[in-house]
Amino acid sequence: MTTAFVLSGGGSLGAVQVGMLDALAERDIAPDMLVGTSVGAINAAYIARRGFDRSVVGDLAAIWRGLRRHDVFPLEPLRLAAAAVGRAPSLCSDGALRRLVTSHAGDGRLEELELPVHVIATDVTSGVEVVLSSGDAVQAVMASAAIPAVFPSVHVDGRYLVDGGVSNNAPVSHALSLGADVVYVLPTGFACALDDPPTSPLASAVQALTLLIQQRLIVEVALLASQADIRVLPPLCPLAVSSADFDHTGELIDRARAATGQWLDGGGTGRSHPERFLSLHDHRSDHRHDRSTGG
């Protein structure tokens, strides 16, 4: 049996995946391969570089707990002004993100990492999804995480690539085509309980991509659930943390670890229709807190 972990995108909500990974490691559920998109590619590359156990996940959690928005999304007034008049290709420089990715993935090649890892990006000129399984690890992960308009596109093998969430956020189908028999999907979820909509261009862009990601994930899981053993870990709900907010990463890790552990121990992997955890909704008009164990 070949087990794949598929990690979706979702900005700062990538911290949720760290808690999920810890709960899986605690129960000796380990991947034979990893498939990641956007922030999921960053987390996947970190695990692939070092191997999968609770110590490695603990180190990843420590990094996440120390992150702040400027470590990922540096907002510089001059660059914002230049972007507004078309003199800069994106709202943010990718320098801070590149430093973060380098610390995660190292300076090696994808095919040389401890575990097989595949990251998903999007060709910005054609919209075609691109699976990167070899080549420079940093460039591949940077491409997968290059949110359009927020970060510049990344040139890889003659193509200009952007965030994989644009074309295929949680590529379960790729995990299956690569030989996986069991697929654990680690979604970041989305902010379903915000009191107010995002007000900044950055937060609005990241929120919009996160919602797009969720919609694509629902469709893919629903289509493939009857064809393979797909186990979707339930995202946190209700969730009032924006995907551009890095002030609550520790809380997200702890909540996700507890929720995932409870779900696994309660036999969640054997339930049908795993896409039910992913439905788009909000909590403004009622208190639907019974969708998952993450409340």
Side-chain angles (χ1 to χ4, degrees):
M1 298 288 286
T2 299
T3 298
F5 285 3
V6 173
L7 289 78
S8 72
S12 64
L13 302 184
V16 170
Q17 293 174 340
V18 182
M20 292 175 169
L21 289 166
D22 194 29
L24 290 164
E26 185 178 14
R27 289 155 181 80
D28 295 321
I29 301 171
D32 298 299
M33 73 171 79
L34 298 124
V35 183
T37 302
S38 196
V39 72
I42 298 176
N43 285 333
Y46 188 94
I47 297 298
R49 182 184 180 192
R50 293 160 176 80
F52 185 70
D53 59 37
R54 291 202 75 189
S55 175
V56 172
V57 175
D59 291 341
L60 179 58
I63 293 172
W64 269 98
R65 291 179 190 274
L67 284 180
R68 294 297 177 263
R69 189 187 67 184
H70 63 265
D71 296 320
V72 180
F73 301 122
L75 294 177
E76 303 163 351
L78 290 178
R79 183 167 185 108
L80 292 174
V85 296
R87 294 181 179 176
S90 58
L91 294 174
C92 298
S93 163
D94 64 0
L97 180 63
R98 183 172 293 274
R99 288 190 292 273
L100 179 64
V101 169
T102 300
S103 71
H104 277 57
D107 56 2
R109 298 176 62 82
L110 287 177
E111 67 269 28
E112 296 171 348
L113 301 181
E114 185 75 16
L115 288 169
V117 62
H118 312 271
V119 302
I120 311 302
T122 303
D123 186 320
V124 73
T125 61
S126 67
V128 173
E129 63 187 88
V130 178
V131 183
L132 300 171
S133 303
S134 61
D136 185 276
V138 171
Q139 282 292 94
V141 175
M142 286 293 296
S144 184
I147 301 171
V150 176
F151 295 118
S153 60
V154 178
H155 192 249
V156 178
D157 295 334
R159 293 180 169 185
Y160 288 93
L161 305 180
V162 294
D163 196 306
V166 174
S167 59
N168 195 346
N169 175 64
V172 178
S173 58
H174 288 303
L176 297 177
S177 69
L178 290 164
D181 301 296
V182 179
V183 178
Y184 285 85
V185 180
L186 283 66
T188 61
F190 69 101
C192 57
L194 289 176
D195 291 330
D196 299 295
T199 56
S200 72
L202 170 63
S204 296
V206 178
Q207 174 77 355
L209 182 60
T210 301
L211 292 174
L212 171 64
I213 280 167
Q214 194 77 359
Q215 291 173 323
R216 293 188 62 87
L217 180 55
I218 291 167
V219 171
E220 179 155 288
V221 171
L223 287 173
L224 297 175
S226 63
Q227 305 174 31
D229 187 354
I230 299 172
R231 306 172 180 186
V232 179
L233 304 186
L236 297 181
C237 178
L239 183 59
V241 179
S242 162
S243 48
D245 180 354
F246 286 83
D247 291 336
H248 303 279
T249 54
E251 171 194 341
L252 295 177
I253 292 169
D254 294 340
R255 281 185 63 191
R257 180 194 299 111
T260 302
Q262 182 180 348
W263 185 80
L264 291 169
D265 294 342
T269 58
R271 297 172 187 168
S272 59
H273 301 293
E275 71 278 4
R276 70 189 185 283
F277 293 119
L278 304 170
S279 60
L280 294 175
H281 65 284
D282 65 57
H283 296 271
R284 289 175 297 177
S285 59
D286 59 45
H287 298 282
R288 296 184 294 265
H289 289 187
D290 59 346
R291 288 182 65 256
S292 80
T293 56

